[in-house]
Amino acid sequence: MSGGRPGPGAPHDGHGARHRAATVATATATLVAAAHAAPAATWLPGVRRAVCPALAGRGRPDHIALTFDDGPDPRSTPRFLDALDELAVRATFFVLGDGVLRHPGTARDIARRGHELAVHGWTHSPPWLPTAARDLREVARAVRALRQTTGAVPRWYRPPYGVLTGGRTLAAARAGLSPVLWTAWGRDWTARATAASVLATVRRDLRGGGTVLLHDCDRAAEAGCWRAALGALPALVSACRAEGWTVGPLAEHGIGS
């Protein structure tokens, strides 16, 4: 008779079950983290140019897409709008939703002057931890803020830091947005950036059909560094036109066509 006493295999079986459960939990967490992080490899320029030309912002070979991140900011964005008016250029502004709510007049002015508005997120939040639910909520909220404030219906999404995680990819898809990064940037967020350094850095990687990333404010950068990007604009547009390229927003860039 066995009575109420557990057999000799019971303690081992219990330990085994706990071990298997822990293994499954670890494997699940690993898979979740991998699914979150894998798309972030597209941050590497070589990867996205080779594997995802549309994500890199490759468009018509006779066109350059000019884009700005991190606004709107009433201290600096209007200066870019004035400069673009003088150059007869329209651009795409990837704005942050909370900035649109804080500075609705500046956001409306971007649209009023004929520029394209796109989504950069709700805040300039870091992407390092899996936050799919937050990404879904915040991207949708940014789209609503843009629509309600400016009447614009955004088409594009560029994640903060250019890191396209699994959660951010899903959030863009749910919101009906197409992710777009860039092919050339100006490194205009540093304290040592100058108009000359921004121009030289952009031109190093600039080819027909490319997308240029600059910043129209210093929200996530060194104070006042936007002046370097602003100072580089006339020479950059002139250089593009000398190559026979027109400069304009992503809406006119022919991505995926």
Side-chain angles (χ1 to χ4, degrees):
M1 292 180 61
S2 62
R5 184 178 175 184
H12 176 73
D13 289 345
H15 175 74
R18 289 193 297 273
H19 177 72
R20 287 192 294 273
T23 300
V24 169
T26 300
T28 300
T30 300
L31 287 172
V32 169
H36 174 75
T42 57
W43 188 88
L44 300 170
V47 172
R48 64 175 177 268
R49 281 198 300 265
V51 179
C52 310
L55 177 62
R58 279 284 169 206
R60 293 172 16 218
D62 63 343
H63 189 266
I64 296 296
L66 180 60
T67 70
F68 297 92
D69 282 7
D70 294 358
D73 187 325
R75 299 170 303 164
S76 54
T77 303
R79 297 173 184 252
F80 284 83
L81 299 179
D82 289 344
L84 291 168
D85 278 350
E86 291 178 10
L87 294 165
V89 168
R90 299 295 172 260
T92 300
F93 286 78
F94 284 89
V95 296
L96 294 164
D98 69 339
V100 169
L101 288 192
R102 286 203 308 269
H103 311 299
T106 305
R108 283 192 289 266
D109 201 25
I110 295 172
R112 183 184 63 80
R113 299 212 205 179
H115 302 285
E116 185 178 34
L117 285 158
V119 174
H120 197 35
W122 185 252
T123 62
H124 211 280
S125 57
W128 317 127
L129 297 175
T131 55
R134 186 188 71 188
D135 291 331
L136 287 167
R137 182 174 63 252
E138 292 192 349
V139 170
R141 190 180 179 192
V143 170
R144 285 196 303 273
L146 261 180
R147 285 183 153 182
Q148 293 169 2
T149 303
T150 70
V153 180
R155 294 175 55 188
W156 315 104
Y157 170 64
R158 177 179 290 155
Y161 303 102
V163 178
L164 191 64
T165 61
R168 289 173 169 182
T169 302
L170 178 61
R174 289 276 183 90
L177 303 174
S178 298
V180 177
L181 299 182
W182 60 86
T183 62
W185 63 6
R187 298 190 67 85
D188 53 338
W189 58 86
T190 66
R192 295 192 294 178
T194 64
S197 74
V198 169
L199 179 64
T201 304
V202 170
R203 294 193 68 175
R204 187 165 57 230
D205 294 317
L206 193 60
R207 307 289 185 274
T211 292
V212 174
L213 163 64
L214 297 173
H215 297 79
D216 61 304
C217 74
D218 55 14
R219 172 168 175 173
E222 294 292 335
C225 63
W226 54 266
R227 297 179 187 277
L230 181 64
L233 272 182
L236 174 59
V237 171
S238 178
C240 290
R241 288 172 172 165
E243 293 285 348
W245 305 327
T246 57
V247 181
L250 284 167
E252 299 172 2
H253 198 42
I255 292 178
S257 62

